[in-house]
Amino acid sequence: MAGSRLPRHLFLQGVAAVFMFAFASLYTQIPGLYGPEGILPARRTLRPQGKGRWQQLWETPTLLWEAPRLGLDTAQGLELLSLLGTLLALGALLLHQLRHLLTYLLLWAAYLSVCQVGQVFLYFQWDSLLLETGFLAVLVAPLRQPSHRKQAPQGKVAGASPHEGFSFWLVRWLLFRLMFASGVVKLTSRCPAWWGLTALTYHYETQCLPTPAAWFAHHLPVWLHKLSVVATFLIEIAVPPLFFAPVRRLRLVAFYSQVLLQVLIIITGNYNFFNLLTLVLTTALLDDAHLLAESGNSRRKKTPTPWPKALLAMLSLLLELAVYGLLAYGVVHCFGLEVDWEQHTVHSRTTFTFHQFSQWLKTVTLPTMGLGAASLAWELLTALWRWTQVRGWLQKFCAAVQLSIFGTATVALFTISLVPYSYMEPSTHGRLWTGAHRLFSTVEHLQLASSYGLFRRMTGLGGRPEVVLEGSYDGHHWTEIEFMYKPGNVSRAPPVVTPHQPRLDWQMWFAALGPHTQSPWFASLVLRLLQGKEPVIRLIQNQAARYPFHKQPPTYVRAQRYKYWFSQPGEQGRWWRRQWVEEFFPAVSLGDPTLDTLLRQFGLQDGSPPRARSSGSTLTEALQWVRKQLSPLEAPTLLWALLVTVGAIRVMQALLGPRPCPPAREKHRPAPREDSGAASKQAAPSPNNSSRSQAPRRKK
């Protein structure tokens, strides 16, 4: 097993980057979502109930309880947390000194605090995934940064503690749970599109925010779409167990397959930071040897390989070939792959039944838990062996304490994660150890482990449903209210907004899947549009001139449901086709009994006026000044500017930073090439002189 120092560094930098994008993206939307004039004001979610301070913090773990002590309301506290989270994540991304345990603990606590008041706009799986990954980063981050001047012996890391790398295994386990569950739920949902291998013939045009590349992918041949679904099942169900394979090349094959899937998703869909975060998790499949490309050094040595190592390499190769053959046979057998040489296509179909898959899942769920436990036990034994190599009783004692703490935390988190992982197979969930259930229920509100399962069912099989808002001054002539990102105008190309997540646009996509009563926040959105509240309008159009009612709020607002399809090749100037389906929300005006009834029914009509904001404090004025400076920028532009800034600074650091000196041992290699006479002359000096002459070389 090769070292994992460089993959851990990549992981910590990646987590910092994702936190930066998540905080910055949310910051731009706080006034419209959670401000006093927003859709779901955050002040309604935090109301003291007479409990003790620590009990209140434990039941609702958010730092926003302390906002009033700073003279801020809940929304201003959200802005402060988001800004500080963005800056702290940016610092951790640029400065290795800030990639510390405490830094990632603060980032995790800040995002957990935000999610506690985020309500429906932060109920996404990637928010839970970021929280779980962020807490794992707390365990992976070093307690202290090792000195870069120390030269480690070959194969070892300077200043490395035995527990380093042990907690990093949890990242691999999280990646396994995410991918394996995402593949399984597609089949346990009994979705006909997944079972018929036709899901991707709908996916590209029915996903929430497609990219322009999705239009081209949608028009690929049907047989290629079906073959892509087969590849998806292969990558998400069959490949994840290889994450724990003892053969290094198998883990690297698993790594590149996961990267391929995530890159294709990024190209064809705007899934904010989710795919970037998944790519960060895949670093757990890498090792130092692969990242350093040490194969070139091994070719120069040409040393004979001992027969035990040669035998082990041969067995590893045979195991690798057996795995590839088994995967190929399983794919051909389960999906009936047949090559049609005349039409140059590949035919595929599902050859197993739902009952057979359910029985298979019931059979393998517990063994996959056992596979994870066995892999974790191996990592623990490796950490214990490293501990035995520590020199000095004080260092050995400190290493034992650290290993005990981090080892206990790692085993506890693994045990907790078994509960949400078993949700996909009910009978296994019921047979799970009761202690794991109790432990999970104790810390469930901290979101240390969650269940996952993306794209469970394919929606919009008869066309993607889309809600279109309309406004009017007289109730007869209606004007559409177009959003910046979601489909509306059929002539407008799909945007590219990754890694930003426009959370209102995403919830509009979910709202279109059912009646408006299943999305209570929609009535509040209509109310804010009738009132002409600027923070909410900025969620729809950041530039006021593009909003059709920027001069005067509409008297009436209603919503229509349409079905959208991608345009056909050859239709010039059109990206979409659409057809009216039905009225989604009736025409209402301010004071309309229908609107007032809905607001009261959903508890969105707050009778008490909001507390006046304190505008005199320095902190409040600073927040208002920052908001004023950044508000003209669209959120994707702001996030891309952050990315470009990070890239520019990293380039400057690489160009202006100190260059590493070549290892001293490289300078000794030419010595044996000298003639024997010179060698005999150099042998004459005493050992003391020889050691003094070698001392400067050791410093280098």
Side-chain angles (χ1 to χ4, degrees):
M1 300 290 287
S4 61
R5 180 178 62 90
L6 293 178
R8 292 200 306 272
H9 287 332
L10 285 178
F11 170 74
L12 293 176
Q13 293 180 66
V15 171
V18 174
F19 266 123
M20 180 185 70
F21 292 140
F23 278 119
S25 174
L26 182 63
Y27 171 79
T28 62
Q29 305 172 75
I30 288 175
L33 296 179
Y34 305 117
E37 298 179 343
I39 299 173
L40 295 177
R43 59 186 170 83
R44 297 187 181 130
T45 61
L46 292 182
R47 293 180 176 175
Q49 299 177 354
K51 298 180 181 179
R53 181 178 181 182
W54 295 109
Q55 181 183 1
Q56 182 176 260
L57 184 61
W58 172 254
E59 293 179 356
T60 308
T62 174
L63 299 174
L64 294 172
W65 288 115
E66 305 301 317
R69 297 176 182 269
L70 301 175
L72 306 176
D73 61 20
T74 307
Q76 291 172 330
L78 273 173
E79 292 190 17
L80 179 62
L81 277 181
S82 299
L83 282 174
L84 293 179
T86 302
L87 294 176
L88 186 59
L90 178 62
L93 188 57
L94 295 175
L95 303 174
H96 77 275
Q97 294 88 347
L98 287 180
R99 294 174 207 141
H100 187 273
L101 180 150
L102 182 60
T103 299
Y104 291 93
L105 181 61
L106 291 174
L107 289 173
W108 172 80
Y111 204 73
L112 178 64
S113 301
V114 167
C115 289
Q116 293 298 314
V117 300
Q119 305 169 78
V120 70
F121 292 108
L122 272 93
Y123 287 171
F124 294 97
Q125 290 193 44
W126 36 83
D127 293 313
S128 300
L129 182 64
L130 179 55
L131 282 174
E132 185 170 353
T133 306
F135 193 80
L136 295 187
V138 176
L139 300 180
V140 174
L143 291 170
R144 61 181 179 85
Q145 291 291 346
S147 175
H148 286 277
R149 295 183 178 181
K150 293 184 179 180
Q151 293 292 334
Q154 188 175 1
K156 295 185 179 180
V157 180
S161 301
H163 74 274
E164 294 186 8
F166 182 47
S167 302
F168 192 45
W169 177 90
L170 286 172
V171 179
R172 193 187 312 177
W173 173 246
L174 173 57
L175 178 64
F176 170 80
R177 287 166 41 218
L178 172 66
M179 301 310 301
F180 188 73
S182 296
V184 165
V185 298
K186 292 176 174 61
L187 296 174
T188 56
S189 66
R190 301 195 184 194
C191 175
W194 286 115
W195 278 91
L197 307 181
T198 59
L200 292 185
T201 61
Y202 307 102
H203 164 74
Y204 297 111
E205 72 175 0
T206 60
Q207 60 183 322
C208 180
L209 296 176
T211 65
W215 186 92
F216 296 95
H218 175 74
H219 292 292
L220 292 173
V222 174
W223 70 267
L224 187 55
H225 284 308
K226 299 180 73 173
L227 191 62
S228 300
V229 174
V230 173
T232 301
F233 285 136
L234 172 66
I235 294 174
E236 292 186 344
I237 298 179
V239 171
L242 300 182
F243 297 170
F244 311 105
V247 180
R248 175 171 171 265
R249 283 193 297 265
L250 288 176
R251 298 195 302 273
L252 292 178
V253 168
F255 164 77
Y256 283 109
S257 66
Q258 302 301 320
V259 169
L260 174 64
L261 177 62
Q262 299 306 318
V263 169
L264 291 176
I265 296 175
I266 291 174
I267 292 174
T268 57
N270 290 289
Y271 288 94
N272 48 82
F273 57 80
F274 165 65
N275 304 109
L276 301 177
L277 182 55
T278 306
L279 288 174
V280 171
L281 295 178
T282 61
T283 57
L285 303 177
L286 297 174
D287 53 49
D288 292 339
H290 185 66
L291 293 176
L292 291 173
E294 289 184 350
S295 58
N297 296 333
S298 62
R299 282 195 295 266
R300 288 195 298 266
K301 294 178 182 178
K302 297 292 183 181
T303 56
T305 304
W307 71 266
K309 287 188 176 181
L311 178 60
L312 184 60
M314 179 62 66
L315 293 176
S316 298
L317 179 60
L318 292 177
L319 176 60
E320 187 178 354
L321 294 176
V323 169
Y324 296 149
L326 183 62
L327 289 176
Y329 171 78
V331 170
V332 173
H333 176 72
C334 294
F335 297 101
L337 298 185
E338 296 179 358
V339 179
D340 189 336
W341 299 105
E342 294 182 358
Q343 299 182 1
H344 303 288
T345 61
V346 178
H347 300 291
S348 55
R349 68 186 189 282
T350 306
T351 60
F352 54 91
T353 64
F354 177 79
H355 175 72
Q356 290 174 327
F357 180 77
S358 299
Q359 290 300 118
W360 175 85
L361 183 60
K362 187 180 299 184
T363 303
V364 303
T365 302
L366 272 179
T368 55
M369 295 180 183
L371 176 64
S375 179
L376 178 60
W378 173 258
E379 294 290 337
L380 178 58
L381 291 175
T382 304
L384 289 174
W385 180 83
R386 289 173 180 166
W387 175 75
T388 62
Q389 308 302 307
V390 177
R391 304 299 182 185
W393 68 269
L394 182 59
Q395 290 84 352
K396 207 176 191 70
F397 174 76
C398 294
V401 172
Q402 294 178 10
L403 183 58
S404 301
I405 295 174
F406 284 89
T408 302
T410 300
V411 174
L413 283 176
F414 171 72
T415 305
I416 291 171
S417 69
L418 295 179
V419 177
Y421 172 69
S422 63
Y423 286 160
M424 63 184 181
E425 212 292 295
S427 64
T428 304
H429 179 73
R431 288 184 292 164
L432 206 58
W433 179 45
T434 56
H437 287 281
R438 288 196 298 267
L439 188 59
F440 175 74
S441 61
T442 302
V443 298
E444 184 177 7
H445 63 294
L446 298 178
Q447 301 189 47
L448 301 182
S450 303
S451 61
Y452 304 102
L454 299 169
F455 307 109
R456 184 184 303 267
R457 296 188 64 87
M458 195 54 56
T459 60
L461 300 186
R464 71 171 289 149
E466 199 68 56
V467 172
V468 176
L469 282 164
E470 297 177 339
S472 173
Y473 290 118
D474 56 9
H476 299 287
H477 302 87
W478 295 89
T479 303
E480 292 188 8
I481 300 175
E482 186 176 355
F483 283 64
M484 284 185 289
Y485 309 116
K486 83 179 193 69
N489 185 348
V490 296
S491 300
R492 185 167 62 95
V496 176
V497 299
T498 302
H500 172 57
Q501 181 183 2
R503 295 183 180 266
L504 177 58
D505 295 62
W506 269 86
Q507 286 300 331
M508 289 289 289
W509 181 80
F510 283 107
L513 302 178
H516 70 83
T517 52
Q518 293 182 0
S519 304
W521 56 268
F522 194 86
S524 182
L525 170 64
V526 172
L527 174 66
R528 297 310 189 195
L529 294 180
L530 289 170
Q531 294 171 340
K533 299 300 184 182
E534 182 183 357
V536 176
I537 294 174
R538 282 187 172 275
L539 295 177
I540 298 174
Q541 286 292 343
N542 193 61
Q543 298 183 13
R546 296 182 179 178
Y547 182 68
F549 302 99
H550 63 277
K551 294 183 179 180
Q552 180 183 350
T555 307
Y556 302 93
V557 170
R558 71 180 184 185
Q560 307 287 346
R561 195 197 313 266
Y562 285 82
K563 283 193 174 181
Y564 276 65
W565 298 269
F566 271 139
S567 62
Q568 294 297 321
E571 296 185 40
Q572 299 294 330
R574 296 182 62 185
W575 287 84
W576 299 95
R577 294 178 294 115
R578 75 176 187 178
Q579 178 182 345
W580 181 85
V581 178
E582 61 183 351
E583 183 180 67
F584 178 78
F585 195 89
V588 295
S589 59
L590 287 176
D592 190 289
T594 301
L595 180 60
D596 292 341
T597 300
L598 288 172
L599 294 173
R600 283 195 304 269
Q601 177 183 348
F602 299 133
L604 299 174
Q605 193 176 42
D606 196 349
S608 58
R611 292 178 299 177
R613 288 193 171 195
S614 56
S615 58
S617 68
T618 305
L619 184 56
T620 303
E621 292 178 353
L623 290 174
Q624 293 174 349
W625 181 84
V626 173
R627 173 67 62 184
K628 183 178 179 180
Q629 302 305 312
L630 297 179
S631 58
L633 293 176
E634 291 189 10
T637 304
L638 176 61
L639 269 63
W640 294 336
L642 282 174
L643 184 61
V644 171
T645 301
V646 169
I649 295 177
R650 295 299 291 268
V651 169
M652 295 298 295
Q653 288 176 337
L655 294 177
L656 302 180
R659 297 191 176 186
C661 298
R665 56 187 175 90
E666 296 292 336
K667 296 186 177 182
H668 291 289
R669 288 184 178 178
R673 298 183 180 180
E674 298 178 1
D675 60 279
S676 59
S680 63
K681 292 179 181 179
Q682 290 181 359
S686 65
N688 293 336
N689 293 338
S690 176
S691 62
R692 282 194 298 269
S693 63
Q694 296 287 345
R697 292 193 176 185
R698 286 201 188 100
K699 290 182 181 179
K700 292 182 181 179

